[in-house]
Amino acid sequence: MAGKAAIPRIIGIDLTRSVAIFFAMLSHVWVVTNMDTFWSGPSADFLRALMALATPTFILLFGTMLEIVYRPRFVSGEQERVAVRLFSRAIQCWLLYCVSVFVLYLFADGYSLKFSLATMMLIGVTPFTDILKFYAVVLFLAPFLLWLRCRIGLLPLVVLALIVHAAHPVIRGLPSPLDFNLSMYAERVVTFLFGVGDARLGGPSILHGTSLIIAGMAFGRLIAGDRARQSQKPTIGVVTRASYLLGGSAVVIALGILFYDEKSLAELGDMSLRMDSDPLYFAAGLCGAIAMTSLAVLLTQRLSPEVKQLLEKPVFFGRTSLFTFAFGNMILYAWPGEPDTLQSAVFQVVLISIAITLLSYLFDMEVRRGGTLAAVVKWMQARITSLVNMLVGWRTPRVRQA
């Protein structure tokens, strides 16, 4: 709106997003290089659990951005523009998911044309890129979540999110489509939406993931205040809030370490708890994500504008996270063979990590300088946005702040 001061970015969030995408890709490289064969034990379990923080961190930060970036625009009368933006991003995620499935069809055994098409229609499964499927759906749902957030407030949503995890035994005990002699496709759909059944999917269910998005919205409100109502000096108190959040999450993590067992640590790292939608996975992921983000905010918030500007280059992973995740995993899908010694495994880990990092950096540099590739990407984004604008013809009413 005219005359309204621009809300500065919290660079600590960008930094955390960069660390999270690095952890995500490193965990996938770990699988491709078969590192579990050569390195096991508590140290390996701890490293894998640390890398597993990537997914809850991404989802938490998505909710945080909904709260501190999109909600202020939503309540100021830009509901349609926000919806178009989020729907466009949903389509981009889905298209990248389809491209990754096509690469799987070309290189992976067992991906027939029929199964690949079914996977593109969100009823299949991929080894690494199911989170793109998750984001395609939650980005589509995000405007409705923002509308609900503005209508009933944040606290009722938080209560609903807690109820989802309190009801874990009930949800896991519900009959699945396989119990009714339905197909595995139906099983995957129900597991993907609600966490019911035993389909082995790579991402959290929409129901459980949405609870983590709501947690991210609450985190955004706590660390940045109510940005929808702020006008001057909107960053006042960010450092103080981050200090409290870091301290609180650190205490919870310390208590968890005191009572943890090696089996739980291993299950946090090997996705067993995530696939089971276990509350422990979400609690550990939430505390770890809050601690990591709060620490990043504390380390960067009081830096001078010049230093913050210098930090923009090293956090390119955060700006290219969607590109890096999609095309980085395509590299892994096409990677030939498996190492048979520890030395070759470590060499491949380093080689693949360098390749993915270089790919991401070059893409970020191309976009920043406005080269040919950047023009192509912008053209595609503009076409997607035009399509969404054509399909979305409603005028959403102004909503009150809650």
Side-chain angles (χ1 to χ4, degrees), residues 165-289:
H165 296 289
H168 172 71
V170 176
I171 294 174
R172 293 299 297 164
L174 293 174
S176 74
L178 290 181
D179 295 327
F180 299 100
N181 296 319
L182 298 177
S183 69
M184 179 54 73
Y185 287 117
E187 177 89 351
R188 291 193 185 100
V189 170
V190 173
T191 302
F192 173 58
L193 292 177
F194 307 110
V196 175
D198 297 313
R200 312 300 286 176
L201 304 181
S205 73
I206 297 299
L207 178 64
H208 294 85
T210 300
S211 73
L212 199 51
I213 293 173
I214 293 170
M217 297 173 78
F219 174 70
R221 176 64 182 270
L222 289 172
I223 200 168
D226 189 353
R227 289 197 158 194
R229 297 178 185 269
Q230 292 170 348
S231 57
Q232 296 181 344
K233 297 183 179 180
T235 59
I236 287 179
V238 170
V239 171
T240 301
R241 297 186 188 104
S243 300
Y244 287 136
L245 288 166
L246 177 60
S249 58
V251 169
V252 176
I253 292 172
L255 291 174
I257 292 174
L258 287 175
F259 296 102
Y260 94 101
D261 56 79
E262 291 186 6
K263 180 182 178 183
S264 296
L265 184 64
E267 289 176 339
L268 283 173
D270 66 11
M271 296 206 320
S272 298
L273 294 179
R274 185 168 91 179
M275 290 182 178
D276 192 49
S277 299
D278 194 289
L280 176 60
Y281 168 79
F282 292 94
L286 178 62
C287 290

Side-chain angles (χ1 to χ4, degrees), residues 27-320:
S27 68
H28 294 173
V29 172
W30 180 288
V31 174
V32 167
T33 56
N34 206 22
M35 279 296 293
D36 277 335
T37 304
F38 311 107
W39 186 8
S40 60
S43 60
D45 291 340
F46 175 77
L47 180 59
R48 292 208 65 186
L50 189 64
M51 293 187 293
L53 281 176
T55 299
T57 299
F58 268 127
I59 300 174
L60 179 94
L61 292 182
F62 173 59
T64 301
M65 298 309 289
L66 286 180
E67 177 69 19
I68 68 177
V69 175
Y70 288 101
R71 190 175 76 89
R73 300 172 185 173
F74 204 80
V75 300
S76 66
E78 299 183 31
Q79 296 97 328
E80 188 170 334
R81 182 178 298 180
V82 168
V84 168
R85 170 69 173 169
L86 293 169
F87 289 164
S88 299
R89 294 288 286 178
I91 293 175
Q92 291 177 47
C93 284
W94 177 71
L95 290 175
L96 286 171
Y97 182 67
C98 291
V99 174
S100 72
V101 173
F102 178 71
V103 173
L104 269 173
Y105 170 69
L106 294 178
F107 291 98
D109 295 332
Y111 272 78
S112 65
L113 179 60
K114 177 183 176 182
F115 184 74
S116 297
L117 291 174
T119 303
M120 292 179 186
M121 295 299 105
L122 310 185
I123 56 177
V125 62
T126 67
F128 300 137
T129 48
D130 270 7
I131 195 67
L132 290 176
K133 174 175 70 173
F134 170 84
Y135 269 110
V137 175
V138 296
L139 278 163
F140 178 79
L141 296 176
F144 305 101
L145 183 60
L146 280 171
W147 177 83
L148 193 61
R149 155 76 176 95
C150 294
R151 292 293 295 178
I152 69 174
L154 188 56
L155 183 59
L157 290 178
V158 171
V159 172
L160 289 174
L162 291 173
I163 290 174
V164 167
H165 296 289
H168 172 71
V170 176
I171 294 174
R172 293 299 297 164
L174 293 174
S176 74
L178 290 181
D179 295 327
F180 299 100
N181 296 319
L182 298 177
S183 69
M184 179 54 73
Y185 287 117
E187 177 89 351
R188 291 193 185 100
V189 170
V190 173
T191 302
F192 173 58
L193 292 177
F194 307 110
V196 175
D198 297 313
R200 312 300 286 176
L201 304 181
S205 73
I206 297 299
L207 178 64
H208 294 85
T210 300
S211 73
L212 199 51
I213 293 173
I214 293 170
M217 297 173 78
F219 174 70
R221 176 64 182 270
L222 289 172
I223 200 168
D226 189 353
R227 289 197 158 194
R229 297 178 185 269
Q230 292 170 348
S231 57
Q232 296 181 344
K233 297 183 179 180
T235 59
I236 287 179
V238 170
V239 171
T240 301
R241 297 186 188 104
S243 300
Y244 287 136
L245 288 166
L246 177 60
S249 58
V251 169
V252 176
I253 292 172
L255 291 174
I257 292 174
L258 287 175
F259 296 102
Y260 94 101
D261 56 79
E262 291 186 6
K263 180 182 178 183
S264 296
L265 184 64
E267 289 176 339
L268 283 173
D270 66 11
M271 296 206 320
S272 298
L273 294 179
R274 185 168 91 179
M275 290 182 178
D276 192 49
S277 299
D278 194 289
L280 176 60
Y281 168 79
F282 292 94
L286 178 62
C287 290
I290 289 176
M292 188 162 57
T293 308
S294 300
L295 179 60
V297 170
L298 282 175
L299 292 175
T300 58
Q301 191 64 17
R302 285 179 171 167
L303 297 176
S304 67
E306 294 77 15
V307 175
K308 288 183 179 181
Q309 188 173 8
L310 289 175
L311 279 176
E312 287 185 4
K313 287 186 178 180
V315 298
F316 61 87
F317 266 143
R319 291 189 297 273
T320 64

Side-chain angles (χ1 to χ4, degrees), residues 364-379:
D364 179 63
M365 186 171 63
E366 174 74 3
V367 170
R368 287 165 70 86
R369 73 180 184 184
T372 303
L373 180 59
V376 172
V377 171
K378 288 183 179 179
W379 180 86

